[in-house]
Structures are given as structure tokens and as C-alpha cells.
Amino acid sequence: MATARPRPQVMRLTDAAAERIKELMAKSERPIAGLRVGVRNGGCAGMAYTMEYAEAANPTDEIVEDKGVRILIDPKAVLFLLGTEMDYKVDKLSAQFVFNNPNQTSACGCGESVQLTPAQGEGAEAAAH
């Protein structure tokens, strides 16, 4: 009898990203169930990452718990985000969340949008089920 393989974790957070998300959620005036992360069509490279507070999880959301933070991922974005590490970078001129995504094939010059291809292979098959 075959045993089910554990599903791969779609995304993971660096310590810096987890701490920043916790700080932002603590300042919210309403209860937050998690941070919804996804992708949308747009920008000069074709796609852009999206982030928003979620008051509740949707029944079809992929839920990732990492470092004390709950990330809710739209099911249409799972294959585009599989294997992604979300980081938070601070430098002299900016502070921003950064997505280190193995599915990213290029980005626009301004950094606002990216070109993504769906994940392929064994991990992608497990995540899609």
C-alpha cells in the first residue's frame, strides 16, 4: 500500500520577514487571520506579487505556518510561488519585502513586476493535489 508523501511547503520566511510581519499585524486595528500572498497579472514584466491582510482564510487557501506567522496563498498562485523564500531587506534608501523565487525567469528594471513560470517536477505535483 502506497503512503502519501508530505506536501512541500509552498513558501518559507526568513527571520527578518517573519519579525516584520508580526510587527505590522500587531499594529492592526482589526483581527487578522494571516497575510494573504499571491500573484496578479500586470506590470511591464507580466506579473506582480500581491500582499494583503486577511481577516479570514478562504476554504481553498493554501495555509503556510512559518516562524509564528500564518501565510494564506491563493490556490491559483501556488505553482508560481512553490519554493519561494520571502525576506525583508532594509538598506539606506528603502525597506521592502523581497521574494526569492526559483520560478522567476526575469524582472523589469524598476523591480515592480516579474516574469514567472509555473513550478515543474515532483514538488509541483505534490503541491497541486
Side-chain angles (χ1 to χ4, degrees), residues 104-124:
Q104 182 175 315
T105 55
S106 68
C108 66
C110 64
E112 292 295 318
S113 64
V114 294
Q115 186 172 30
L116 301 170
T117 57
Q120 302 292 317
E122 194 173 300

Side-chain angles (χ1 to χ4, degrees), residues 30-124:
R30 55 185 162 71
I32 302 296
L35 179 70
R36 180 163 286 116
V37 176
V39 295
R40 65 171 170 77
N41 292 333
C44 49
M47 299 186 96
Y49 296 107
T50 62
M51 294 188 316
E52 64 183 4
Y53 295 129
E55 294 183 14
N58 293 329
T60 57
D61 283 341
E62 180 80 22
I63 298 174
V64 174
E65 302 271 353
D66 193 17
K67 296 180 176 66
V69 175
R70 176 181 272 185
I71 305 293
L72 309 173
I73 302 173
D74 183 311
K76 293 177 281 200
V78 168
L79 291 179
F80 293 107
L81 295 174
L82 190 64
T84 296
E85 176 188 68
M86 185 176 171
D87 195 5
Y88 184 71
K89 300 267 186 189
V90 177
D91 62 27
K92 290 180 181 180
L93 300 176
S94 69
Q96 63 185 341
F97 287 101
V98 176
F99 294 87
N100 300 313
N101 187 339
N103 307 302
Q104 182 175 315
T105 55
S106 68
C108 66
C110 64
E112 292 295 318
S113 64
V114 294
Q115 186 172 30
L116 301 170
T117 57
Q120 302 292 317
E122 194 173 300

